[in-house]
Amino acid sequence: IQQQISSTVSGVAFSMNPANNCYDEITITANFGLGESVVSGVVTPDVYVVQNNNNNNNMNENYDNFAILDKTIGDKKESIWLASSSSGPTTVQRTNQDPKQQALSESQILQVAKLVARVEEAYGNILQQQQKNDQSLSSSLQNGTILHPVDIEWAFGNDDNEDNGGREHGQTTTLYLLQARPVTSYIPLFPELLTPRGTAFKRNLYLDIVVMTQGFNEPFSVLGLEIWKTMLGLVKPQFSTEGPEGMSWNLHGRQYMHVSNFVSTLGGRAMIQKGVGQYDPAIGRALATIDLDDYTPVETPSGASGMIWKQLKRVGLAIPGMIWGLWLRDKAMDAYLEYIDDLMERCCEESDDSYMPDADFQTLVNTTMEEWAEEAVTNMSRLVAAYFSRFRLYKLFQGKEGSEDLLISLCMDLKGNPTSAMGHAMLQLASMAEVQTTATGDEFCQKLNQEGTFSTEFMTRYHDYMRRYGCRGYKEIDIASTRTSESPAEFFGRLKQIDIEHNAIINVTERRRQAREKLLEMAKEMGKEEVFETHDHIIENILGYREHPKYIYVFMVAMFRRRALKLGREFVRQGRLDSVEQIFNLSMAEISKAQTDVDMELRPLVEAHLQPYRIVEHVQTWPLLIDSRGKILRENRRTTDSQDPNVLLADPVAPGKIRGKAKVLKSPYEKPVFSGEVLVARFTEPSWTPIFINASAVVMEVGGPLQHGAIIAREYGIPCVSGLENATSLISDGDVLEVDGSLGAVRFVDKE
């Protein structure tokens, strides 16, 4: 039984910083008396942050490797003390005479810091040895460094252990370790991403590409990430190298931009600060809080060498398409669309048995994507004509009151945008009697399979929808994700949620028409009517194709998925896999080899791939920026000039102002969004598009003006803001919000 310590100062210490996840910042909380006041939340304790530069090889008697970074003195009005009574020891709560007095001296802060560091080291050594001896682990986990942060309860007390309630603070001499346990709620880094602790080692900075650009938290499947990185390397040479010397990391379902290696290249710093900052302003503001020199390697890594020339070569391939686009204007896309029609014909379900039937899986993927990537880079460069026309119109109306919002409306609901077209097609189906008179998904599927139950017109539209958009779905860029075509009942449920009389699609067509009329009138007054109509025509017919490459990629992935599932069924029949879906936990090379080697064991490969995933399976929200010592970089919280607590600042991405009740979603379709409600989400991706149809406005935590949610909000004419950190926590269902997508502000009108 542990003896009760009659402590005069006590508290809790973490070997890492829970506020920013940094593994090298020890965090200590303290109050006078017993630690109960700290752990029970009776007071706001002191908080001390200490830099730990000890690399577990030089723990000495002094504190050279520890430095106090920050001290926040809490309002410690109360404290709890051990006391004696006739019936034995008890506790009493007292008012602190000087609540703003620092609970620990600087030397005591360092003592506690060193104690928790020693506990972390001891705990880590035990687990590290167990890890090395565990033959079931993959070699990367056996030999890699996995951190094991701890938190402890500690107390300063006197050797005589008498009631110290009347003693002067700071006269105690002995530090006691009361309890230790592992920290489980932090975000761990994979061993490959870590750099050693200490000032002698440069840290690396990583940017989560998928969270920034695609809008989902969950990890890719093993196969899905390999296919995605293959595509990215083909169309964007800056991501063609990976690993510690490369420009990206592709690890265990996550993809990171290696920011440190990027900024070491010619022009890399400007690309990160301006390019990434424009894509997502919140990231730009987070980068502004640090000195990139602290994360820049002394020498340019081998995988980053010559990167500027690779990019220039890619630009060189695109130049003919740019010239062609500027010359032919709205006809420039004809050749690309002709190629795409042919590719989609080859990749559609009806062609599964005839398209490369004898190719192994890896050859199928690589051949198809290499051909597509070359065509995409050459032909999509013709979009330059539309971007040039948009630039000319912004220049033409510069300084004209209200013109900026009108120009944004002019670029809404454009031809060629597959995600917007998908929304229109869904609204058409939702409006038909076959959907309106059917009650459940089961009934819908039953009627769908009974010939003659639904009209020919409905069946034609339904099959056309599935042929074009059945490939889409949540996390659609991952081959392991279920497609819309595979679940007609769920698709029916989404159709039933659409308000067919009051929705964004109906409004946006009229909004674009009105914007065009107003701009045309302004152009006439300036004598620029012909100039305006020329550029408007180009924008209307070309700009919408900017989202086309991703759509075609998803279309190809759906074909790869059908081929993979076919192989998965064969491997299950042969007894080499336990379920068909395990095929997605293998690499392309492993699948191809297994096609010819019937004795190849697949279960051990699946297990080895999944082990690292389990390290992070508890993580629900992935940060955008994190360094190689686990520190999460965030922007400084912005405030309004008026300091109005009811106003939250964000980034404006789609203009307009609207009031509505909030509906907070962590994932699409977890609950219905009714007409007029404000959608609040961390981020969105194409599978959220049907939800946008009912929403009156959108509020997102992550994503700039080029992220999917922003693009679709503009396409549908919905006010939208992004970059509002913790929006899904700060806002609750039913809160009445005023969303200003022009200024980038969210105001609470009425809070539930």
Side-chain angles (χ1 to χ4, degrees):
I1 298 174
Q2 189 174 6
Q3 184 179 4
Q4 173 71 57
I5 304 299
S6 181
S7 55
T8 53
V9 186
S10 53
V12 176
F14 287 78
S15 64
M16 58 163 294
N17 191 339
N20 63 14
N21 201 65
C22 183
Y23 308 148
D24 300 337
E25 294 181 5
I26 292 168
T27 303
I28 302 166
T29 57
N31 189 22
F32 304 117
L34 302 178
E36 184 181 347
S37 65
V38 175
V39 297
S40 65
V42 170
V43 297
T44 302
D46 289 357
V47 180
Y48 315 116
V49 180
V50 179
Q51 178 71 33
N52 177 10
N53 290 320
N54 179 69
N55 62 11
N56 293 339
N57 293 317
N58 58 353
M59 187 81 77
N60 49 40
E61 292 304 315
N62 57 38
Y63 303 106
D64 295 342
N65 295 316
F66 299 90
I68 298 173
L69 297 177
D70 186 61
K71 295 184 291 184
T72 303
I73 309 305
D75 188 13
K76 308 177 294 297
K77 293 181 179 179
E78 303 290 331
S79 56
I80 299 173
W81 298 83
L82 188 66
S84 300
S85 69
S86 58
S87 59
T90 186
T91 59
V92 294
Q93 186 165 325
R94 298 172 180 165
T95 300
N96 289 329
Q97 293 180 352
D98 186 2
K100 285 295 184 179
Q101 179 185 352
Q102 189 170 304
L104 291 178
S105 67
E106 294 203 357
S107 63
Q108 289 175 321
I109 292 172
L110 293 176
Q111 276 184 266
V112 176
K114 187 172 182 179
L115 174 62
V116 72
R118 290 176 61 192
V119 173
E120 179 189 57
E121 179 182 3
Y123 181 65
N125 287 340
I126 295 171
L127 293 183
Q128 199 81 19
Q129 192 57 49
Q130 292 176 349
Q131 177 183 316
K132 288 182 182 294
N133 295 334
D134 189 346
Q135 297 302 312
S136 68
L137 292 179
S138 62
S139 59
S140 65
L141 291 187
Q142 277 188 321
N143 303 316
T145 300
I146 300 177
L147 293 179
H148 303 286
V150 298
D151 75 81
I152 66 170
E153 293 182 21
W154 55 269
F156 277 101
N158 289 287
D159 294 334
D160 57 15
N161 207 31
E162 295 177 353
D163 176 12
N164 294 313
R167 249 182 233 276
E168 290 293 324
H169 302 315
Q171 291 185 352
T172 53
T173 57
T174 304
L175 173 61
Y176 293 91
L177 172 64
L178 307 180
Q179 181 174 298
R181 53 186 169 259
V183 175
T184 58
S185 58
Y186 75 110
I187 296 178
L189 281 178
F190 298 119
E192 299 93 328
L193 297 177
L194 285 168
T195 51
R197 174 182 285 158
T199 55
F201 304 98
K202 276 272 190 182
R203 295 187 181 193
N204 292 325
L205 184 60
Y206 309 117
L207 171 62
D208 194 311
I209 297 173
V210 175
V211 171
M212 179 180 75
T213 64
Q214 303 304 316
F216 59 85
N217 259 319
E218 299 86 344
F220 271 99
S221 64
V222 174
L223 185 58
L225 180 57
E226 186 179 15
I227 294 174
W228 172 257
K229 77 169 185 180
T230 300
M231 179 278 296
L232 210 58
L234 287 170
V235 299
K236 295 188 176 182
Q238 61 266 40
F239 295 110
S240 59
T241 59
E242 62 176 313
E245 297 287 311
M247 305 295 269
S248 65
W249 273 106
N250 298 282
L251 286 169
H252 320 308
R254 305 219 67 83
Q255 183 179 57
Y256 290 100
M257 177 190 291
H258 199 315
V259 176
S260 295
N261 289 352
F262 253 99
V263 297
S264 71
T265 65
L266 181 64
R269 183 174 295 237
M271 196 212 79
I272 293 295
Q273 290 177 324
K274 295 182 179 178
V276 173
Q278 287 178 354
Y279 189 95
D280 190 332
I283 298 176
R285 290 188 293 271
L287 289 170
T289 66
I290 62 170
D291 185 348
L292 277 174
D293 287 341
D294 294 339
Y295 291 97
T296 304
V298 178
E299 297 181 357
T300 301
S302 59
S305 298
M307 190 54 58
I308 187 68
W309 305 114
K310 292 180 182 178
Q311 291 176 298
L312 288 174
K313 181 180 178 181
R314 179 63 74 189
V315 171
L317 292 173
I319 287 176
M322 294 179 186
I323 296 172
W324 196 5
L326 288 169
W327 182 257
L328 294 177
R329 297 183 177 180
D330 57 318
K331 295 182 180 179
M333 299 301 294
D334 290 350
Y336 170 74
L337 295 177
E338 186 177 334
Y339 165 74
I340 289 301
D341 286 342
D342 175 65
L343 178 64
M344 292 177 71
E345 187 65 35
R346 285 181 281 150
C347 292
C348 71
E349 190 168 358
E350 292 80 4
S351 301
D352 282 354
D353 294 333
S354 59
Y355 179 63
M356 299 182 67
D358 299 323
D360 65 82
F361 189 77
Q362 189 167 24
T363 300
L364 171 73
V365 173
N366 288 340
T367 301
T368 306
M369 287 213 298
E370 286 169 8
E371 175 198 309
W372 166 77
E374 184 176 348
E375 289 286 340
V377 170
T378 303
N379 289 296
M380 290 308 292
S381 59
R382 296 166 189 169
L383 277 170
V384 71
Y387 290 121
F388 177 72
S389 288
R390 187 174 64 175
F391 167 78
R392 286 292 305 274
L393 289 186
Y394 271 86
K395 199 77 173 172
L396 179 66
F397 295 109
Q398 189 173 11
K400 297 292 183 180
E401 187 177 354
S403 63
E404 192 166 335
D405 281 1
L406 290 173
L407 285 167
I408 291 175
S409 297
L410 190 71
C411 296
M412 295 172 179
D413 201 34
L414 298 172
K415 296 176 184 177
N417 187 316
T419 311
S420 178
M422 181 176 72
H424 280 277
M426 287 190 74
L427 179 58
Q428 286 182 339
L429 287 172
S431 301
M432 297 186 76
E434 285 82 353
V435 172
Q436 292 298 307
T437 59
T438 302
T440 66
D442 289 341
E443 181 187 351
F444 179 77
C445 291
Q446 197 173 35
K447 291 179 177 179
L448 202 63
N449 295 322
Q450 290 176 352
E451 190 173 348
T453 305
F454 286 155
S455 69
T456 302
E457 181 187 4
F458 178 83
M459 293 302 294
T460 300
R461 286 190 177 182
Y462 176 83
H463 288 305
D464 182 67
Y465 181 95
M466 287 301 173
R467 188 179 186 280
R468 293 177 183 276
Y469 310 116
C471 60
R472 312 209 74 164
Y474 183 55
K475 282 181 61 185
E476 61 187 13
I477 60 174
D478 187 350
I479 191 173
S481 298
T482 303
R483 309 288 135 172
T484 296
S485 60
E486 298 170 23
S487 183
E490 286 187 18
F491 177 64
F492 170 78
R494 296 169 192 174
L495 293 178
K496 291 291 280 188
Q497 287 184 21
I498 296 174
D499 186 330
I500 62 174
E501 294 182 356
H502 305 95
N503 59 72
I505 291 178
I506 294 173
N507 297 333
V508 71
T509 304
E510 178 60 19
R511 186 169 172 179
R512 186 186 192 281
R513 187 191 65 77
Q514 291 179 3
R516 187 186 186 283
E517 286 183 358
K518 291 177 182 179
L519 288 168
L520 179 59
E521 190 62 34
M522 293 166 65
K524 286 179 179 178
E525 293 174 1
M526 300 163 62
K528 300 290 185 179
E529 177 183 358
E530 187 176 340
V531 172
F532 170 76
E533 291 195 324
T534 297
H535 292 300
D536 172 53
H537 181 75
I538 293 171
I539 289 171
E540 183 179 8
N541 288 281
I542 298 180
L543 190 58
Y545 288 100
R546 60 192 167 190
E547 285 215 337
H548 220 257
K550 180 183 175 182
Y551 165 60
I552 298 303
Y553 172 75
V554 171
F555 201 92
M556 291 189 296
V557 168
M559 182 268 287
F560 301 150
R561 174 178 168 83
R562 293 192 300 271
R563 194 70 63 94
L565 288 171
K566 183 178 180 181
L567 291 170
R569 287 189 288 271
E570 178 65 16
F571 294 158
V572 169
R573 188 189 65 78
Q574 294 171 354
R576 294 196 281 171
L577 290 178
D578 298 318
S579 68
V580 174
E581 287 71 23
Q582 284 184 324
I583 191 79
F584 303 123
N585 299 322
L586 297 170
S587 70
M588 290 195 291
E590 289 164 349
I591 293 171
S592 294
K593 186 178 179 182
Q595 286 180 260
T596 56
D597 184 357
V598 295
D599 296 322
M600 182 178 176
E601 288 286 336
L602 299 181
R603 289 185 182 88
L605 297 174
V606 169
E607 177 59 25
H609 284 308
L610 290 182
Q611 283 173 358
Y613 281 68
R614 298 186 185 116
I615 297 173
V616 296
E617 62 185 359
H618 66 284
V619 180
Q620 298 297 314
T621 301
W622 285 90
L624 280 163
L625 281 169
I626 191 168
D627 74 14
S628 56
R629 296 303 303 166
K631 186 173 183 177
I632 298 170
L633 303 182
R634 302 183 179 94
E635 63 173 313
N636 294 325
R637 184 174 292 278
R638 291 169 288 164
T639 57
T640 62
D641 293 336
S642 65
Q643 299 294 309
D644 185 344
N646 292 318
V647 176
L648 305 174
L649 292 184
D651 295 312
V653 293
K657 183 189 287 188
I658 200 78
R659 282 190 183 187
K661 286 189 175 182
K663 183 63 68 73
V664 182
L665 268 65
K666 301 294 177 64
S667 62
Y669 308 110
E670 65 174 273
K671 51 193 170 186
V673 173
F674 298 110
S675 180
E677 290 186 319
V678 175
L679 169 63
V680 182
R682 184 162 191 244
F683 34 48
T684 67
E685 45 98 64
S687 66
W688 293 68
T689 299
I691 301 170
F692 279 55
I693 297 174
N694 282 354
S696 62
V698 180
V699 177
M700 298 186 295
E701 294 182 6
V702 176
L706 298 180
Q707 206 257 4
H708 169 267
I711 291 173
I712 295 304
R714 288 194 296 272
E715 286 287 338
Y716 288 171
I718 305 171
C720 178
V721 299
S722 69
L724 181 50
E725 189 176 359
N726 297 322
T728 54
S729 301
L730 297 171
I731 300 171
S732 303
D733 283 355
D735 288 347
V736 179
L737 306 176
E738 182 179 80
V739 179
D740 192 328
S742 300
L743 295 178
V746 176
R747 185 168 72 89
F748 287 100
V749 178
D750 186 20
K751 186 127 176 83
E752 279 287 303

PDB file of all heavy atoms in Angstrom, residues 298-318:
ATOM      1  N   VAL A 298      20.413  21.153 -44.953  1.00  0.00           N
ATOM      2  CA  VAL A 298      21.624  21.892 -45.319  1.00  0.00           C
ATOM      3  C   VAL A 298      21.961  21.664 -46.786  1.00  0.00           C
ATOM      4  O   VAL A 298      22.337  22.591 -47.509  1.00  0.00           O
ATOM      5  CB  VAL A 298      22.803  21.470 -44.422  1.00  0.00           C
ATOM      6  CG1 VAL A 298      24.074  22.195 -44.842  1.00  0.00           C
ATOM      7  CG2 VAL A 298      22.483  21.749 -42.952  1.00  0.00           C
ATOM      8  N   GLU A 299      21.806  20.434 -47.259  1.00  0.00           N
ATOM      9  CA  GLU A 299      22.073  20.097 -48.649  1.00  0.00           C
ATOM     10  C   GLU A 299      20.790  19.612 -49.311  1.00  0.00           C
ATOM     11  O   GLU A 299      19.939  19.000 -48.665  1.00  0.00           O
ATOM     12  CB  GLU A 299      23.152  19.015 -48.745  1.00  0.00           C
ATOM     13  CG  GLU A 299      24.505  19.458 -48.195  1.00  0.00           C
ATOM     14  CD  GLU A 299      25.549  18.364 -48.330  1.00  0.00           C
ATOM     15  OE1 GLU A 299      25.196  17.255 -48.801  1.00  0.00           O
ATOM     16  OE2 GLU A 299      26.712  18.615 -47.963  1.00  0.00           O
ATOM     17  N   THR A 300      20.670  19.868 -50.612  1.00  0.00           N
ATOM     18  CA  THR A 300      19.487  19.418 -51.343  1.00  0.00           C
ATOM     19  C   THR A 300      19.481  17.900 -51.441  1.00  0.00           C
ATOM     20  O   THR A 300      20.453  17.314 -51.927  1.00  0.00           O
ATOM     21  CB  THR A 300      19.461  20.020 -52.762  1.00  0.00           C
ATOM     22  OG1 THR A 300      19.464  21.438 -52.662  1.00  0.00           O
ATOM     23  CG2 THR A 300      18.216  19.576 -53.513  1.00  0.00           C
ATOM     24  N   PRO A 301      18.436  17.229 -50.985  1.00  0.00           N
ATOM     25  CA  PRO A 301      18.379  15.759 -51.053  1.00  0.00           C
ATOM     26  C   PRO A 301      18.408  15.263 -52.499  1.00  0.00           C
ATOM     27  O   PRO A 301      18.003  15.978 -53.422  1.00  0.00           O
ATOM     28  CB  PRO A 301      17.035  15.429 -50.382  1.00  0.00           C
ATOM     29  CG  PRO A 301      16.704  16.641 -49.575  1.00  0.00           C
ATOM     30  CD  PRO A 301      17.263  17.806 -50.320  1.00  0.00           C
ATOM     31  N   SER A 302      18.867  14.045 -52.682  1.00  0.00           N
ATOM     32  CA  SER A 302      19.029  13.499 -54.031  1.00  0.00           C
ATOM     33  C   SER A 302      17.706  13.450 -54.788  1.00  0.00           C
ATOM     34  O   SER A 302      17.657  13.707 -55.991  1.00  0.00           O
ATOM     35  CB  SER A 302      19.642  12.097 -53.959  1.00  0.00           C
ATOM     36  OG  SER A 302      18.809  11.224 -53.191  1.00  0.00           O
ATOM     37  N   GLY A 303      16.616  13.132 -54.095  1.00  0.00           N
ATOM     38  CA  GLY A 303      15.325  13.033 -54.763  1.00  0.00           C
ATOM     39  C   GLY A 303      14.741  14.367 -55.166  1.00  0.00           C
ATOM     40  O   GLY A 303      13.778  14.430 -55.926  1.00  0.00           O
ATOM     41  N   ALA A 304      15.331  15.459 -54.646  1.00  0.00           N
ATOM     42  CA  ALA A 304      14.851  16.794 -54.985  1.00  0.00           C
ATOM     43  C   ALA A 304      15.710  17.464 -56.052  1.00  0.00           C
ATOM     44  O   ALA A 304      15.324  18.488 -56.607  1.00  0.00           O
ATOM     45  CB  ALA A 304      14.814  17.667 -53.734  1.00  0.00           C
ATOM     46  N   SER A 305      16.855  16.890 -56.349  1.00  0.00           N
ATOM     47  CA  SER A 305      17.762  17.487 -57.328  1.00  0.00           C
ATOM     48  C   SER A 305      17.132  17.473 -58.719  1.00  0.00           C
ATOM     49  O   SER A 305      16.533  16.480 -59.136  1.00  0.00           O
ATOM     50  CB  SER A 305      19.092  16.722 -57.350  1.00  0.00           C
ATOM     51  OG  SER A 305      19.731  16.807 -56.100  1.00  0.00           O
ATOM     52  N   GLY A 306      17.305  18.560 -59.427  1.00  0.00           N
ATOM     53  CA  GLY A 306      16.807  18.639 -60.798  1.00  0.00           C
ATOM     54  C   GLY A 306      15.306  18.728 -60.921  1.00  0.00           C
ATOM     55  O   GLY A 306      14.757  18.573 -62.016  1.00  0.00           O
ATOM     56  N   MET A 307      14.617  19.014 -59.808  1.00  0.00           N
ATOM     57  CA  MET A 307      13.157  19.032 -59.847  1.00  0.00           C
ATOM     58  C   MET A 307      12.630  20.141 -60.753  1.00  0.00           C
ATOM     59  O   MET A 307      11.633  19.966 -61.461  1.00  0.00           O
ATOM     60  CB  MET A 307      12.604  19.190 -58.427  1.00  0.00           C
ATOM     61  CG  MET A 307      11.102  18.987 -58.326  1.00  0.00           C
ATOM     62  SD  MET A 307      10.536  17.398 -59.010  1.00  0.00           S
ATOM     63  CE  MET A 307      11.498  16.248 -58.005  1.00  0.00           C
ATOM     64  N   ILE A 308      13.305  21.284 -60.764  1.00  0.00           N
ATOM     65  CA  ILE A 308      12.836  22.397 -61.589  1.00  0.00           C
ATOM     66  C   ILE A 308      12.861  22.021 -63.068  1.00  0.00           C
ATOM     67  O   ILE A 308      11.980  22.415 -63.835  1.00  0.00           O
ATOM     68  CB  ILE A 308      13.699  23.661 -61.319  1.00  0.00           C
ATOM     69  CG1 ILE A 308      13.102  24.873 -62.043  1.00  0.00           C
ATOM     70  CG2 ILE A 308      15.143  23.443 -61.745  1.00  0.00           C
ATOM     71  CD1 ILE A 308      11.791  25.332 -61.497  1.00  0.00           C
ATOM     72  N   TRP A 309      13.849  21.204 -63.465  1.00  0.00           N
ATOM     73  CA  TRP A 309      13.941  20.812 -64.878  1.00  0.00           C
ATOM     74  C   TRP A 309      12.857  19.807 -65.234  1.00  0.00           C
ATOM     75  O   TRP A 309      12.332  19.819 -66.352  1.00  0.00           O
ATOM     76  CB  TRP A 309      15.330  20.257 -65.169  1.00  0.00           C
ATOM     77  CG  TRP A 309      16.412  21.221 -64.790  1.00  0.00           C
ATOM     78  CD1 TRP A 309      17.354  21.078 -63.818  1.00  0.00           C
ATOM     79  CD2 TRP A 309      16.617  22.531 -65.363  1.00  0.00           C
ATOM     80  NE1 TRP A 309      18.133  22.200 -63.738  1.00  0.00           N
ATOM     81  CE2 TRP A 309      17.717  23.112 -64.682  1.00  0.00           C
ATOM     82  CE3 TRP A 309      15.986  23.262 -66.370  1.00  0.00           C
ATOM     83  CZ2 TRP A 309      18.198  24.375 -64.978  1.00  0.00           C
ATOM     84  CZ3 TRP A 309      16.460  24.521 -66.673  1.00  0.00           C
ATOM     85  CH2 TRP A 309      17.548  25.068 -65.991  1.00  0.00           C
ATOM     86  N   LYS A 310      12.520  18.955 -64.299  1.00  0.00           N
ATOM     87  CA  LYS A 310      11.412  18.019 -64.544  1.00  0.00           C
ATOM     88  C   LYS A 310      10.105  18.781 -64.753  1.00  0.00           C
ATOM     89  O   LYS A 310       9.301  18.427 -65.620  1.00  0.00           O
ATOM     90  CB  LYS A 310      11.271  17.045 -63.370  1.00  0.00           C
ATOM     91  CG  LYS A 310      12.418  16.065 -63.229  1.00  0.00           C
ATOM     92  CD  LYS A 310      12.189  15.133 -62.046  1.00  0.00           C
ATOM     93  CE  LYS A 310      13.356  14.177 -61.852  1.00  0.00           C
ATOM     94  NZ  LYS A 310      13.155  13.292 -60.677  1.00  0.00           N
ATOM     95  N   GLN A 311       9.907  19.811 -63.946  1.00  0.00           N
ATOM     96  CA  GLN A 311       8.681  20.592 -64.074  1.00  0.00           C
ATOM     97  C   GLN A 311       8.664  21.383 -65.382  1.00  0.00           C
ATOM     98  O   GLN A 311       7.630  21.486 -66.040  1.00  0.00           O
ATOM     99  CB  GLN A 311       8.541  21.529 -62.876  1.00  0.00           C
ATOM    100  CG  GLN A 311       8.249  20.792 -61.571  1.00  0.00           C
ATOM    101  CD  GLN A 311       8.196  21.715 -60.380  1.00  0.00           C
ATOM    102  OE1 GLN A 311       9.174  22.372 -60.029  1.00  0.00           O
ATOM    103  NE2 GLN A 311       7.047  21.789 -59.737  1.00  0.00           N
ATOM    104  N   LEU A 312       9.827  21.930 -65.762  1.00  0.00           N
ATOM    105  CA  LEU A 312       9.908  22.661 -67.021  1.00  0.00           C
ATOM    106  C   LEU A 312       9.657  21.740 -68.213  1.00  0.00           C
ATOM    107  O   LEU A 312       9.043  22.138 -69.209  1.00  0.00           O
ATOM    108  CB  LEU A 312      11.274  23.339 -67.151  1.00  0.00           C
ATOM    109  CG  LEU A 312      11.505  24.550 -66.235  1.00  0.00           C
ATOM    110  CD1 LEU A 312      12.939  25.041 -66.351  1.00  0.00           C
ATOM    111  CD2 LEU A 312      10.524  25.672 -66.565  1.00  0.00           C
ATOM    112  N   LYS A 313      10.134  20.499 -68.111  1.00  0.00           N
ATOM    113  CA  LYS A 313       9.890  19.534 -69.180  1.00  0.00           C
ATOM    114  C   LYS A 313       8.397  19.272 -69.314  1.00  0.00           C
ATOM    115  O   LYS A 313       7.869  19.196 -70.436  1.00  0.00           O
ATOM    116  CB  LYS A 313      10.630  18.230 -68.879  1.00  0.00           C
ATOM    117  CG  LYS A 313      10.466  17.161 -69.961  1.00  0.00           C
ATOM    118  CD  LYS A 313      11.222  15.889 -69.596  1.00  0.00           C
ATOM    119  CE  LYS A 313      11.004  14.815 -70.656  1.00  0.00           C
ATOM    120  NZ  LYS A 313      11.712  13.554 -70.289  1.00  0.00           N
ATOM    121  N   ARG A 314       7.712  19.146 -68.195  1.00  0.00           N
ATOM    122  CA  ARG A 314       6.265  18.928 -68.220  1.00  0.00           C
ATOM    123  C   ARG A 314       5.552  20.133 -68.820  1.00  0.00           C
ATOM    124  O   ARG A 314       4.614  19.989 -69.612  1.00  0.00           O
ATOM    125  CB  ARG A 314       5.764  18.659 -66.804  1.00  0.00           C
ATOM    126  CG  ARG A 314       4.265  18.443 -66.690  1.00  0.00           C
ATOM    127  CD  ARG A 314       3.795  17.220 -67.448  1.00  0.00           C
ATOM    128  NE  ARG A 314       4.166  15.991 -66.783  1.00  0.00           N
ATOM    129  CZ  ARG A 314       4.035  14.774 -67.315  1.00  0.00           C
ATOM    130  NH1 ARG A 314       3.546  14.655 -68.533  1.00  0.00           N
ATOM    131  NH2 ARG A 314       4.394  13.699 -66.664  1.00  0.00           N
ATOM    132  N   VAL A 315       6.013  21.324 -68.459  1.00  0.00           N
ATOM    133  CA  VAL A 315       5.432  22.543 -69.036  1.00  0.00           C
ATOM    134  C   VAL A 315       5.662  22.571 -70.540  1.00  0.00           C
ATOM    135  O   VAL A 315       4.777  22.957 -71.322  1.00  0.00           O
ATOM    136  CB  VAL A 315       6.030  23.804 -68.370  1.00  0.00           C
ATOM    137  CG1 VAL A 315       5.592  25.059 -69.113  1.00  0.00           C
ATOM    138  CG2 VAL A 315       5.616  23.879 -66.912  1.00  0.00           C
ATOM    139  N   GLY A 316       6.855  22.134 -70.957  1.00  0.00           N
ATOM    140  CA  GLY A 316       7.161  22.097 -72.384  1.00  0.00           C
ATOM    141  C   GLY A 316       6.208  21.209 -73.151  1.00  0.00           C
ATOM    142  O   GLY A 316       5.791  21.539 -74.275  1.00  0.00           O
ATOM    143  N   LEU A 317       5.833  20.079 -72.565  1.00  0.00           N
ATOM    144  CA  LEU A 317       4.880  19.181 -73.220  1.00  0.00           C
ATOM    145  C   LEU A 317       3.497  19.823 -73.324  1.00  0.00           C
ATOM    146  O   LEU A 317       2.717  19.488 -74.226  1.00  0.00           O
ATOM    147  CB  LEU A 317       4.784  17.865 -72.436  1.00  0.00           C
ATOM    148  CG  LEU A 317       6.031  16.970 -72.443  1.00  0.00           C
ATOM    149  CD1 LEU A 317       5.842  15.793 -71.493  1.00  0.00           C
ATOM    150  CD2 LEU A 317       6.324  16.462 -73.853  1.00  0.00           C
ATOM    151  N   ALA A 318       3.204  20.720 -72.394  1.00  0.00           N
ATOM    152  CA  ALA A 318       1.874  21.337 -72.368  1.00  0.00           C
ATOM    153  C   ALA A 318       1.756  22.560 -73.270  1.00  0.00           C
ATOM    154  O   ALA A 318       0.649  22.971 -73.613  1.00  0.00           O
ATOM    155  CB  ALA A 318       1.519  21.724 -70.933  1.00  0.00           C
TER     156      ALA A 318
END
